[in-house]
Amino acid sequence: MRLGGRLAAAIEVLDDIGRRHRPVADALKDWGLSHRFAGAGDRAAIGNIVYDALRRRRSAAWLFDADTPRALAFGALLLEWDETPESINRALEGDRFAPAPLDADELQAFAARQAGDAPSAVRADIPDWCEPLLERSFGGDWVDEAGALAARPPLDLRVNTLLSDRPRVLAELAETGAAATKLAQSGLRIPPIAGDGRHPNVQAEPSFRKGWFEVQDEGSQVAAELASAQPGMQVLDFCAGAGGKTLALAAAMDNRGQIFAHDAEKARLAPIFDRIRRSDARNIQVLAKPAEVARLAGRMDLVLIDAPCTGSGTWRRRPDAKWRLTGRQLDVRKAEQAEILENAKAYVKPGGRLVYITCSVFRDENHDQIERFLDANPDFASLDHEALFADRLPGKTGAARIDRDRGIVLSPLRSGTDGFFFAALSRRV
């Protein structure tokens, strides 16, 4: 397929997403199934246009003063593919599968917008209602921070130190362009793709099948490292989900001690069993029944909460979620987080640690939750997060926003990771 056919397909997918309010992954999968003539390269390029259009939706719509699938797809090429209106129109000439080229009105709108200053929410590529949330979280840097959440993400991997080490995995993946991460001690990073490129299918690598590495954002890896799980500990991963942090904790503990992986929604635990087998983690027990977890009350050295949240820190990877999110959903998440914190505290033994993590950058889900919890639970105290970060990641404190008493924020702009929040509390003896 030429650019014109790919552009037309992207417009079709964006229209499907808008009309049927569908997740982008589902819409792209269905398009591929109904257009089997499209090769892997075509599907990747179409997906790139669609994802770029959703990441940059506000600024793409601004360019043409229109929020149509056509405007978003053309805007994506102009903003992320180093195209110009002239280069796009030339590429569409003679392509019977292409959409109509940019017309005089569109070219005039584009020229006028280029000469003007876009509003802050447009430059940040966010819904208007999120502006005060991000400004409260990031202060004067909020536009740049939000803009970084609209960029293409890298592909991050975590080396499973139970079975391999970073130099060995780097050698295995040399052709992918992987390099050691700057923060995570066992991380590898494959840089963001450009244009119509695509990331390598690392899960097809023999080294992945052998359990030598997992796909995991560097920010998630750092959060697991900050949790400071040690060999011999008794650990409860209270919202384990698919088990990414569970496996990272098992490696940090060198298979010594015990990790109990639990999730209130059993279906979320489904992937963890194959991942445990492949990783050679032997100190993990999966507990799906509430009665099984209840027996752990007051016995845990470490309780980790990877709390359900808005996912605002993952907007680079899930840009459609940015536009589906509502204030009502934020309120629901905040209530869930408060309830989980209250439930999880019962499992922490005196002198033990309660760790709270989200993949959100909203202060409402992060610092505010910790402050509320501490006010209501005087038997818990905040750790010194500046000292904790400096101890676990020496010389890297400038890579995060650290509130000594309330927690640590990682972000694409500051840390080069997805957006994460981490807080650690200790139970008084």
Side-chain angles (χ1 to χ4, degrees):
M1 296 173 68
R2 295 164 57 186
L3 178 61
R6 291 171 170 180
L7 184 58
I11 292 171
E12 183 180 338
V13 173
L14 288 165
D15 179 67
D16 183 33
I17 293 169
R19 284 186 300 101
R20 300 169 64 186
H21 306 288
R22 310 183 67 204
V24 60
D26 291 349
L28 284 167
K29 180 181 178 180
D30 284 354
W31 187 92
L33 290 173
S34 60
H35 297 78
R36 293 186 180 274
F37 62 84
D42 293 322
R43 293 194 302 273
I46 293 163
N48 288 351
I49 298 173
V50 170
Y51 272 94
D52 287 339
L54 293 171
R55 291 186 189 104
R56 306 295 306 275
R57 176 175 164 178
R58 287 297 299 274
S59 50
W62 166 263
L63 290 178
F64 295 108
D65 196 20
D67 191 22
T68 63
R70 174 183 167 87
L72 300 185
F74 275 89
L77 294 181
L78 293 167
L79 291 167
E80 294 291 340
W81 291 56
D82 294 326
E83 297 283 356
T84 65
E86 294 75 22
S87 68
I88 293 174
N89 278 356
R90 284 196 301 271
L92 303 187
E93 288 179 5
D95 186 347
R96 63 189 181 93
F97 298 107
L102 294 168
D103 61 28
D105 290 339
E106 290 171 320
L107 292 171
Q108 183 177 1
F110 174 80
R113 290 297 195 184
Q114 286 291 91
D117 293 326
S120 296
V122 172
R123 290 185 285 117
D125 275 297
I126 59 166
D128 287 331
W129 74 271
C130 290
E131 180 171 339
L133 296 172
L134 289 164
E135 187 171 11
R136 183 165 180 258
S137 297
F138 294 121
D141 293 335
W142 78 268
V143 173
D144 291 336
E145 288 280 5
L149 283 164
R152 289 187 178 186
L155 175 61
D156 291 345
L157 315 174
R158 179 185 60 80
V159 174
N160 176 19
T161 53
L162 296 174
L163 292 173
S164 192
D165 56 44
R166 188 149 65 176
R168 190 178 184 188
V169 178
L170 276 171
E172 284 289 315
L173 301 179
E175 295 180 356
T176 68
T181 49
K182 295 179 180 179
L183 298 178
Q185 296 178 17
S186 299
L188 303 178
R189 169 161 292 183
I190 299 172
I193 55 176
D196 61 357
R198 50 179 170 158
H199 276 132
N201 181 12
V202 294
Q203 293 182 338
E205 294 287 336
S207 51
F208 177 80
R209 303 291 183 182
K210 294 175 184 177
W212 290 7
F213 67 86
E214 288 283 339
V215 177
Q216 185 177 20
D217 181 76
E218 185 183 11
S220 179
Q221 297 179 50
V222 169
E225 290 180 24
L226 291 170
S228 305
Q230 301 296 321
M233 277 187 171
Q234 297 292 300
V235 177
L236 172 59
D237 189 347
F238 196 64
C239 304
K245 292 184 181 66
T246 306
L247 297 174
L249 296 175
M253 295 166 66
D254 196 26
N255 263 338
R256 289 178 282 165
Q258 193 67 54
I259 303 175
F260 302 94
H262 170 70
D263 201 288
E265 293 193 22
K266 296 178 183 179
R268 291 177 182 165
L269 290 167
I272 199 172
F273 298 97
D274 284 340
R275 297 179 79 182
I276 290 172
R277 283 190 288 269
R278 187 165 46 80
S279 71
D280 197 37
R282 299 187 299 275
N283 64 336
I284 300 172
Q285 291 187 45
V286 181
L287 305 181
K289 298 177 181 178
E292 296 173 325
V293 185
R295 293 195 290 267
L296 306 178
R299 294 170 46 195
M300 297 295 102
D301 297 295
L302 171 64
V303 175
L304 185 141
I305 301 170
D306 190 1
C309 65
T310 58
S312 56
T314 67
W315 281 346
R316 297 188 301 177
R317 303 179 194 280
R318 299 177 60 243
D320 50 327
K322 174 165 54 174
W323 309 108
R324 292 200 307 267
L325 184 63
T326 66
R328 170 59 181 161
Q329 290 171 330
L330 173 59
D331 290 340
V332 168
R333 289 303 187 207
K334 287 162 58 178
E336 290 175 345
Q337 291 155 5
E339 182 179 7
I340 289 169
L341 275 163
E342 282 297 308
N343 292 338
K345 72 179 184 182
Y347 300 98
V348 184
K349 75 179 188 182
R353 183 174 295 186
L354 179 64
V355 165
Y356 176 79
I357 300 168
T358 75
C359 55
S360 172
V361 294
F362 294 154
R363 194 176 184 90
D364 302 54
E365 300 181 88
N366 299 335
H367 306 74
D368 290 359
Q369 292 286 18
I370 296 303
E371 187 166 348
R372 182 210 59 78
F373 179 83
L374 289 173
D375 286 346
N377 294 276
D379 54 332
F380 281 84
S382 173
L383 270 66
D384 182 333
H385 290 91
E386 291 179 348
L388 174 63
F389 197 93
D391 176 64
R392 302 300 297 180
L393 291 92
K396 303 293 179 62
T397 53
R401 295 174 182 268
I402 305 175
D403 182 323
R404 188 185 68 179
D405 297 322
R406 292 296 178 264
I408 298 164
V409 176
L410 305 173
S411 67
L413 184 68
R414 180 71 67 91
S415 316
T417 68
D418 282 356
F420 277 90
F421 176 78
F422 173 96
L425 314 175
S426 62
R427 186 163 208 160
R428 302 183 195 275
V429 177

